[in-house]
Amino acid sequence: MEFLLILLALVVICGVVVVPALRRRRRAEQDALLGAGAAVDPVGAHGFVPPGQLDVRLPGPDPELLAAVEEARRTQDWKPASELLARTPAADAPELRWQRVQTLAGAAVRELAETPGTGGMWLRHWRVVAPKDAGGAAVQAEFLVQQALRDPSSQDFRMILEEARTVCAEAALLAPGDPVPYIVELGVARGLNASEAEFQSVWETVVARAPQHMGAHLAALRYWSAKWHGSQEQADAFAQRAAAGAAEGSLLPALPLFAVHDHLPDVQLVRGLFQSVVVSQAIEAAQFAVAGAPENHPVLPHVRHLLAWFLVRAERHGEALEQLRKVDGHIGAVPWTYEQDPVAAYTAYRAMAVAGFEAGRHSA
């Protein structure tokens, strides 16, 4: 009985003292990161883009895509987007096609959120006027997935994803051989709690069409994450298998870094976590992938952004700056898009990289 009372007291102490303390520590850490942005001026000293000019829509530059997005928003004309996707065939540019479909769908989702009922009307016009347009079908399917995942608690969540699955099938019929509709369906399967066998069936269809598709692997990794239907062990195993089978010039060796990021603890009690063997190996594998990938690889900026985040946390500030210089100006990528204020998060880390680099240079 005495032992039980002691155990109960410990539980109470943890609930009243330890957990709130850990939460305060986490908030303090976040505040410190955000506060770093005001302490250093990386714009003037290093020529970085001012915060107000950072573009949150894309991870890297794609002038043609942004022109189509802006035209759709300004005039509700879907034709430039349709023509752009027609010039981005899956056979020649599967990664670029996937990214452009994602961005166009995301633009429509944001417009609808800003003006419910009328926002993103250009996408609806596109589907009505050109129902046989494979690009329009793919964008609508991705739009439905993104719209559903914005609020998984919605009573319409399942209905929207079922509709997305139907549109994915339409898009696949309209563009045989295009992996994008099946990549979109990976998100549908994740949201609908598909079994491992069902998910694997879709995944095998994807890799049969595009075995080295980094975007597809990023989509699949989320299913295997502990946050969804897998575990840290399953996500790590998936990422390591993909990295081991990577072709020359592939970005797949960077996939373990994304798996590590997905499973970082909310409160980091281990000192030197970002200098640990696991994190260091994932960083080095990502650096290897970045060094070997073509500079025009559409998903390369995604990897550079996450790599820069890890390098800052590992206090490897000079290496972080190398990555930030490559992507500065566009911040529509993980980890910044996970934050409530992507601009504040990005500029804080950018400032930390500059401050750490300058401190190291002056102390040398």
Side-chain angles (χ1 to χ4, degrees):
M1 184 66 178
E2 183 179 349
F3 172 76
L4 290 175
L5 289 173
I6 293 172
L7 185 60
L8 179 60
L10 288 172
V11 171
V12 171
I13 289 170
C14 286
V16 174
V17 178
V18 177
V19 172
L22 291 177
R23 287 174 179 163
R24 286 195 298 273
R25 175 174 170 176
R26 175 65 171 165
R27 284 197 299 270
E29 181 185 62
Q30 292 173 334
D31 291 344
L33 288 173
L34 294 176
V40 179
D41 176 23
V43 176
H46 289 261
F48 284 122
V49 174
Q53 296 176 23
L54 293 170
D55 195 325
V56 300
R57 295 171 294 181
L58 279 175
D62 187 340
E64 285 186 287
L65 176 56
L66 289 181
V69 168
E70 288 165 3
E71 184 67 13
R73 183 181 182 90
R74 186 175 63 84
T75 68
Q76 296 299 300
D77 186 359
W78 52 270
K79 294 184 187 66
S82 174
E83 292 164 2
L84 177 65
L85 290 182
R87 297 195 304 272
T88 317
D92 299 327
E95 298 265 18
L96 183 59
R97 184 174 177 84
W98 167 76
Q99 183 155 284
R100 285 176 166 176
V101 165
Q102 274 209 320
T103 301
L104 288 165
V109 168
R110 284 192 298 274
E111 288 180 35
L112 183 59
E114 292 168 5
T115 53
T118 59
M121 191 64 73
W122 55 269
L123 177 55
R124 280 171 270 183
H125 290 164
W126 187 356
R127 291 292 288 142
V128 170
V129 176
K132 300 299 184 183
D133 187 326
V139 172
Q140 186 193 15
E142 176 64 21
F143 165 83
L144 290 167
V145 172
Q146 291 189 27
Q147 185 68 17
L149 293 176
R150 281 173 69 91
D151 184 11
S153 64
S154 167
Q155 62 180 3
D156 298 326
F157 177 73
R158 190 170 190 88
M159 181 182 69
I160 295 172
L161 287 178
E162 292 287 3
E163 184 183 354
R165 175 180 280 167
T166 300
V167 181
C168 282
E170 291 178 24
L173 287 173
L174 291 168
D178 185 356
V180 172
Y182 297 99
I183 298 173
V184 177
E185 194 173 347
L186 294 174
V188 175
R190 175 163 54 91
L192 291 177
N193 300 322
S195 68
E196 291 186 12
E198 291 171 323
F199 187 86
Q200 191 65 28
S201 175
V202 180
W203 176 242
E204 287 171 3
T205 304
V206 172
V207 293
R209 286 163 170 74
Q212 296 291 315
H213 199 294
M214 182 64 174
H217 282 80
L218 290 173
L221 181 64
R222 299 200 70 189
Y223 177 88
W224 298 113
S225 166
K227 296 174 183 176
W228 284 92
H229 308 301
S231 65
Q232 182 172 352
E233 291 72 23
Q234 286 175 295
D236 287 343
F238 174 79
Q240 294 294 343
R241 282 196 304 272
E248 184 178 354
S250 170
L251 283 173
L252 290 181
L255 197 62
L257 191 68
F258 287 84
V260 170
H261 183 261
D262 273 354
H263 296 91
L264 287 172
D266 288 336
V267 180
Q268 289 142 25
L269 299 176
V270 179
R271 187 173 180 83
L273 171 65
F274 290 91
Q275 289 85 20
S276 67
V277 173
V278 170
V279 174
S280 295
Q281 287 178 343
I283 288 174
E284 287 160 15
Q287 288 177 316
F288 169 81
V290 165
E295 275 298 319
N296 63 349
H297 194 301
V299 189
L300 181 57
H302 283 279
V303 179
R304 290 193 187 278
H305 279 287
L306 189 63
L307 181 55
W309 186 90
F310 269 98
L311 289 167
V312 170
R313 298 306 299 261
E315 300 180 10
R316 294 162 63 170
H317 301 111
E319 294 168 85
L321 277 180
E322 290 178 20
Q323 301 304 323
L324 290 169
R325 289 190 181 104
K326 297 282 189 178
V327 296
D328 193 56
H330 298 84
I331 60 170
V334 173
W336 323 120
T337 51
Y338 283 172
E339 300 289 344
Q340 187 172 359
D341 187 340
V343 172
Y346 173 79
T347 53
Y349 272 80
R350 187 176 68 180
M352 290 173 66
V354 171
F357 174 74
E358 293 292 348
R361 188 175 66 174
H362 293 318
S363 64

